[in-house]
Amino acid sequence: MLAELEDFVALRRSVGVARTRLVMDDVIARLETALPMIRGIPAGPAMLELSFDCDSSAEGVATVEQVRATMVAPFDLDGESHRLSLRIGGGGAPTHDADELRLIESAEQALADAREIRSDVVRDLANPSAGDDPIQLMRELPEAIASGQIFLQYQPKVRVRQQQVVSAEALVRWRHPVRGLILPGMFIEAAERSNAIGPLTLWIIERAIADQRVLAAQGHDIPIFINISGVLLSDAGFVRDACALVSGGGAKIGFEITETAVIRDPESAIANLGIFARIGVPLAIDDYGAGLSSLAYLKRLPARELKIDKLFVTQLTSSNRDPLIVRSTIDLAHALDMEVTAEGVETPAALALLGVMGCDMVQGFLISRPIEFAAFLTFLSEERHVAAMAGPRFSFHRDVGQWKVG
Ligand code: C2E
Ligand code: CA
Ligand code: CA
């Protein structure tokens, strides 16, 4: 396992460079005393290599728990009490197959994932495909929902003119105890095939309703949009349950749907979308341009928002054709009385061009990656989108400041 000290920079500021050089020795001493099966070696000022033998991967995961528990009590650093916490990434393999290089590299990868999801990750190299198997994943899904492994991240949509966050998209993630972070691309399709998508989506709607209430209570009463799989649009049971949740909750919830989903079973999909629209759920057409599109259906959908697929947006400033497609899509949507969102806005250049083209709203890494709810609240209250959208000008000012200082 590789264990990394969290908030190392702050600790170094607080106790000084010399003392931080010795901190890892203190950590190793404590861990080796409490957990004698563990051998620890410092692997840098903030990093620690821990190795041990165990009988199963479950035991390995349990040992990580014990390490965490051992770290809870504060450390005495030169008479001052400091809480230290470790972020852990680990890999395990059967003794006969425990190639050191493989173990270290898998621990490095696990640690990188652990940082990203802010949760420890341990992988079983003997069973690497355990989580790649969609059927296995679907077996684990109900338990994953029940035990809090499924969670939502939020990504803001910003109105270009007013520079205001007008809504957010909820994106589902799975924090798997062995595999680390699993993105929806890995399990949504399997969930659609196995009928797990209905219960999963209802859980997501409930979660988003609860979060939207908190947003509203804190003065950010913006709708949260949820992705609805095409298969659910012709599922009467789902439509009934979703309507009950959304209309009973009093929270602002919108749905994103793809046109391809509608084309599959147009009559019942359009009828059900009509039901959602009538109870006040705003609808957005997702991934426009990426799949099948039909002007005939586009006209019949009770949607107020059209989202241009990120495929066209990420290439916007490097391709000859994409600006034309985006431009004409914006005009088409406006002619149909819809607002346009560009997703996948990654650069100030793309943002500027979209603004000139009359695009109403933008969403993308430039403004924010999808982030967890607590971080999203901070993002909103600090209006971080403003600095993000002012990107290059901001760094220009900083440069000027540095010139003056120098
Ligand atoms: P989507 O609805 O098109 O969601 C946007 C995807 O683009 C997200 O990927 C998001 O992280 C990513 N993205 C956002 N901004 C940028 C950017 O600036 N550049 C680039 N390159 N990518 C960006 P994610 O979260 O992996 O989701 C993938 C897809 O999985 C979603 O595509 C959606 O179709 C599906 N999905 C996500 N959450 C749910 C859900 O709760 N239910 C259902 N049914 N599907 C979901
Ligand atoms: Ca979407
Ligand atoms: Ca999309």
Side-chain angles (χ1 to χ4, degrees):
M1 304 193 301
L2 287 170
E4 182 177 59
L5 209 52
E6 290 191 298
D7 301 323
F8 176 73
V9 175
L11 180 73
R12 191 171 54 195
R13 288 221 177 104
S14 156
V15 303
V17 175
R19 188 62 186 87
T20 40
R21 289 216 171 99
L22 305 172
V23 160
M24 278 312 185
D25 297 332
D26 298 352
V27 175
I28 291 175
R30 179 184 293 183
L31 290 178
E32 286 186 342
T33 310
L35 307 164
M37 68 288 199
I38 285 190
R39 293 172 301 281
I41 349 172
M47 185 83 82
L48 189 63
E49 209 181 287
L50 300 172
S51 50
F52 57 93
D53 296 321
C54 57
D55 289 329
S56 66
S57 55
E59 203 181 295
V61 172
T63 307
V64 175
E65 289 294 339
Q66 288 176 302
V67 169
R68 245 194 309 252
T70 309
M71 292 295 292
V72 168
F75 282 75
D76 179 344
L77 305 182
D78 295 342
E80 266 181 58
S81 163
H82 286 269
R83 283 187 194 284
L84 304 179
S85 76
L86 296 173
R87 181 54 73 227
I88 296 172
T95 319
H96 63 83
D97 192 24
D99 171 34
E100 208 172 21
L101 181 65
R102 253 179 90 220
L103 282 176
I104 289 180
E105 286 182 351
S106 83
E108 280 169 351
Q109 184 55 53
L111 180 61
D113 294 345
R115 281 190 202 112
E116 166 126 14
I117 65 171
R118 278 181 255 123
S119 178
D120 299 338
V121 173
V122 183
R123 296 231 163 81
D124 182 357
L125 294 182
N127 200 4
S129 62
D132 287 337
D133 175 3
I135 296 170
Q136 178 57 29
L137 272 182
M138 283 314 106
R139 257 185 230 128
E140 294 177 24
L141 185 60
E143 171 60 24
I145 295 176
S147 64
Q149 293 171 23
I150 303 291
F151 66 105
L152 298 180
Q153 286 188 328
Y154 292 99
Q155 191 180 32
K157 284 188 225 173
V158 175
R159 191 172 285 287
V160 182
R161 287 262 167 75
Q162 287 88 341
Q163 295 218 350
Q164 252 174 8
V165 179
V166 286
S167 60
E169 178 175 2
L171 295 155
V172 68
R173 274 98 181 82
W174 185 341
R175 188 185 282 129
H176 195 283
V178 177
R179 295 209 46 226
L181 183 69
I182 314 182
L183 290 172
M186 288 293 297
F187 62 91
I188 289 292
E189 245 188 78
E192 287 171 354
R193 277 197 306 269
S194 71
N195 293 326
I197 192 69
L200 175 64
T201 307
L202 292 171
W203 180 87
I204 291 168
I205 294 174
E206 282 187 282
R207 182 70 255 159
I209 288 174
D211 288 344
Q212 205 279 333
R213 286 213 191 96
V214 176
L215 284 183
Q218 308 227 352
H220 311 288
D221 194 10
I222 54 171
I224 291 177
F225 279 77
I226 293 164
N227 291 284
I228 305 292
S229 287
V231 289
L232 295 175
L233 289 185
S234 22
D235 177 338
F238 170 80
V239 172
R240 190 193 54 228
D241 293 348
C243 282
L245 283 178
V246 172
S247 50
K252 292 186 176 155
I253 297 294
F255 289 162
E256 297 194 2
I257 44 140
T258 66
E259 255 187 310
T260 314
V262 174
I263 291 172
R264 198 177 307 165
D265 181 2
E267 293 319 314
S268 80
I270 290 174
N272 286 329
L273 289 174
I275 295 178
F276 290 136
R278 272 197 298 284
I279 65 165
V281 175
L283 300 174
I285 295 170
D286 205 358
D287 301 343
Y288 186 77
L292 299 172
S293 296
S294 153
L295 281 178
Y297 291 130
L298 192 58
K299 250 179 63 182
R300 289 180 60 197
L301 297 178
R304 285 187 251 151
E305 181 183 337
L306 190 75
K307 298 185 75 178
I308 303 178
D309 192 73
K310 55 180 176 297
L311 200 71
F312 303 102
V313 179
T314 48
Q315 312 284 322
L316 194 60
T317 50
S318 60
S319 133
N320 290 327
R321 234 174 40 136
D322 290 355
L324 296 175
I325 296 174
V326 169
R327 177 79 212 237
S328 56
T329 305
I330 292 172
D331 294 344
L332 168 75
H334 286 165
L336 292 171
D337 252 345
M338 285 193 249
E339 289 200 300
V340 183
T341 301
E343 59 174 33
V345 177
E346 295 179 350
T347 61
L351 174 64
L353 187 53
L354 287 160
V356 171
M357 289 175 168
C359 181
D360 304 288
M361 285 157 318
V362 288
Q363 180 183 3
F365 294 167
L366 175 69
I367 292 140
S368 171
R369 288 185 172 262
I371 47 180
E372 280 180 59
F373 185 65
F376 184 57
L377 267 176
T378 311
F379 182 94
L380 289 175
S381 56
E382 295 183 355
E383 303 203 304
R384 292 206 182 148
H385 65 286
V386 177
M389 292 176 85
R393 239 185 316 145
F394 180 66
S395 58
F396 175 71
H397 283 311
R398 267 224 305 237
D399 284 346
V400 170
Q402 276 161 11
W403 270 104
K404 281 183 193 151
V405 173

